[in-house]
Amino acid sequence: MGPEQRNSRTLTMPGYLPRLADNEIGSALRRRGAVLVEGCRACGKTWAARHVARSEARLDDEATLLMAEADPSAVLQGATPRLLDEWQNAPRIWNRVRRECDDRARFGQFVLTGSAAPHDDITRHTGVGRIARVLMRPMSLYESGGSTGLLSLRRLFDGEAMFALPSVVGLREVASSICVGGWPGSLALEEADARLAVADYVSEVVRLDIPSASGVRHRPAAVRRLMRSLARHVATEAKATTIISDMGGKSVASRSSVNAYLEALERVFLVENQPAWSVGLRSRATLRRAPKRHFVDPSLAASMLRATPQRLLADPGTFGLLFESLVVRDLRIYSQPDRGEVFHYRDDTGLEVDAVIERDDGRWIAVEVKLSPAPDVVDEAAKSLRRLRDKVAADRVEDLALLMVVTSTGPAYRRSDDVQVTPITALGP
């Protein structure tokens, strides 16, 4: 009996490390006929899907893909939950899955994974009520072992003051985490090899993914210049015109091409911008609406900038921006199980706050990100957080769960002004 037909156990790969998205996938299968696990390539979607699947069809395999195109229903047959890996290679599968969920009238039939959104966005309406979605990102520090997780974001939302002594992890290790990234396939590699793996990944994205996702004439050199410009402007609100101007080169790309490439990077889940927070203010300040630019993992920016841990340690400005991007990645992952989203705040008076985590129940945490845990640096960050609190309308202040400064290292403690200080190396879900 082949692996596709096994009913007694799942297809989990040896050495699988649990992911925070595992519970979301399991929950989705208990309430829907199918779940779509989507995210960038190599973030661990297939491994997570095999953790619950009992049979599979790999649609990145040529023979399986030919079968799917000739008879889509044939690849749906097998023990359930059945994994349909890289389903977007055979888009007709989507409607077949939807109909099969209706016909079978049972939960937990299929797990679809995809690393690119189809051009025609056929999934927008037809899966409602049948197919749930789970977004998977690269691993957080907690998932990869770079954080102890002693400080729970969920418990901080509940109002618990939390304390912890400094961990043994130092600034050098934090810089290494930024350069290596949260890629499951790199966990066993030496640091230098893991950084080379990120460079290989970028080359594959430029060569294979962007042409199919952009729908425009492919210019690899222009895509690389675009990604390098995005890396230079990571964790900022740089406009498209700034990105285009910064790209330089002998022939500056047109706005339409750059916009197409930016959309393609979003389609393959490599770019995940941080939207501005919409909030009522008691002051007359005007909110700025531009999103902050981020890659889905800070290692992509580090690779485009040819950054190494040593270079980051010698360049605190760049280190600080990439560290902020690392923190935003982890806050997204830790808040996702509670349906949290991560925004940023900026108004026309010059007040900026790096992150605002808001859950669908309205509760929110305001976060300032600081590379240094020095008391004077934390003092300035706490001052900005208190200014934001004072500006927010009364109904939103009532929903405020916490003001928090996230540092790279150092102890965790609650200040006398009730601002929580939390090193990223101790934060978890």
Side-chain angles (χ1 to χ4, degrees):
M1 181 178 293
E4 301 86 1
Q5 304 301 320
R6 288 181 294 190
N7 289 290
S8 59
R9 60 191 179 92
T10 60
L11 306 174
T12 305
M13 295 182 177
Y16 177 74
L17 289 178
R19 303 295 297 275
L20 295 178
D22 290 344
N23 289 336
E24 290 184 83
I25 296 170
S27 173
L29 288 172
R30 291 192 296 272
R31 67 180 189 273
R32 290 288 184 264
V35 57
L36 168 61
V37 184
E38 52 188 354
C40 60
R41 280 206 291 158
C43 70
K45 300 182 303 297
T46 300
W47 288 7
R50 292 188 109 202
H51 189 58
V52 296
R54 295 186 181 277
S55 68
E56 65 181 18
R58 304 290 291 273
L59 293 166
D60 54 358
D61 172 74
E62 185 175 353
T64 306
L65 183 58
L66 288 172
M67 180 190 299
E69 291 172 344
D71 183 7
S73 62
V75 299
L76 304 187
Q77 305 308 311
T80 59
R82 182 162 176 80
L83 167 60
L84 305 173
D85 194 36
E86 298 295 350
W87 75 273
Q88 78 280 350
N89 292 336
R92 293 170 60 195
I93 286 287
W94 182 267
N95 281 333
R96 293 284 182 167
V97 168
R98 176 181 61 85
R99 293 170 190 166
E100 197 73 15
C101 289
D102 287 342
D103 293 343
R104 296 184 187 184
R106 294 179 181 176
F107 298 140
Q109 297 300 294
F110 302 103
V111 183
L112 293 78
T113 66
S115 54
H119 268 296
D120 56 3
D121 204 8
I122 61 173
T123 69
R124 181 170 293 170
H125 302 295
T126 57
V128 174
R130 306 168 184 91
I131 305 175
R133 292 172 181 261
V134 173
L135 176 62
M136 179 168 277
R137 301 177 175 93
M139 302 177 94
S140 63
L141 289 182
Y142 173 71
E143 292 170 298
S144 63
S147 169
T148 62
L150 290 174
L151 280 74
S152 162
L153 183 63
R154 182 175 293 169
R155 288 163 60 189
L156 290 169
F157 258 108
D158 290 339
E160 184 175 342
M162 306 191 78
F163 302 84
L165 294 173
S167 72
V168 295
V169 178
L171 203 56
R172 172 61 174 75
E173 287 77 17
V174 173
S176 177
S177 294
I178 289 172
C179 294
V180 167
W183 309 103
S186 295
L187 290 178
L189 299 180
E190 296 292 333
E191 181 186 283
D193 290 333
R195 289 193 290 106
L196 289 174
V198 179
D200 294 340
Y201 181 93
V202 170
S203 295
E204 288 296 292
V205 167
V206 171
R207 186 174 69 89
L208 297 175
D209 293 352
I210 299 303
S212 60
S214 66
V216 300
R217 184 178 178 182
H218 184 221
R219 296 175 54 203
V223 176
R224 281 190 170 275
R225 289 201 302 272
L226 170 61
M227 294 181 68
R228 193 169 296 117
S229 179
L230 288 173
R232 283 193 288 266
H233 294 284
V234 74
T236 75
E237 300 165 59
K239 298 179 180 179
T241 52
T242 302
I243 298 296
I244 294 171
S245 176
D246 185 60
M247 287 172 64
K250 294 181 180 179
S251 175
V252 178
S254 69
R255 176 188 286 268
S256 61
S257 294
V258 169
N259 287 337
Y261 290 146
L262 285 171
E263 181 182 352
L265 288 169
E266 291 180 4
R267 282 188 176 276
V268 298
F269 303 99
L270 284 193
V271 166
E272 187 176 7
N273 291 331
Q274 183 184 2
W277 192 39
S278 297
V279 60
L281 298 178
R282 59 164 55 101
S283 73
R284 294 183 179 180
T286 300
L287 296 176
R288 299 294 180 90
R289 300 296 184 183
K292 279 190 176 183
R293 297 191 179 274
H294 292 278
F295 287 100
V296 72
D297 191 274
S299 64
L300 297 170
S303 181
M304 297 311 300
L305 297 175
R306 300 181 182 274
T308 64
Q310 291 81 4
R311 287 177 177 174
L312 289 182
L313 289 170
D315 183 353
T318 301
F319 194 177
L321 290 173
L322 292 181
F323 176 65
E324 181 179 334
S325 197
L326 172 75
V327 172
V328 168
R329 180 201 68 186
D330 282 9
L331 293 178
R332 283 169 166 161
I333 295 170
Y334 299 153
S335 62
Q336 183 174 321
D338 293 316
R339 301 178 63 84
E341 294 185 67
V342 179
F343 304 91
H344 78 95
Y345 176 92
R346 185 184 179 200
D347 63 34
D348 62 354
T349 70
L351 176 60
E352 299 181 42
V353 171
D354 295 323
V356 177
I357 315 163
E358 184 173 19
R359 301 195 306 198
D360 61 356
D361 62 2
R363 299 281 285 167
W364 57 281
I365 290 177
V367 179
E368 273 284 82
V369 179
K370 295 299 177 184
L371 190 60
S372 170
D376 58 330
V377 174
V378 173
D379 281 342
E380 285 300 311
K383 186 184 301 182
S384 295
L385 293 171
R386 294 195 303 269
R387 284 180 61 199
L388 173 62
R389 180 192 59 198
D390 294 342
K391 282 190 172 187
V392 172
D395 57 337
R396 298 314 308 273
V397 169
E398 291 178 358
D399 293 330
L400 173 62
L402 183 66
L403 303 175
M404 179 165 66
V405 179
V406 175
T407 61
S408 58
T409 57
Y413 57 96
R414 185 67 63 94
R415 289 165 45 104
S416 59
D417 57 4
D418 216 29
V419 173
Q420 175 74 42
V421 179
T422 304
I424 193 63
T425 52
L427 191 61

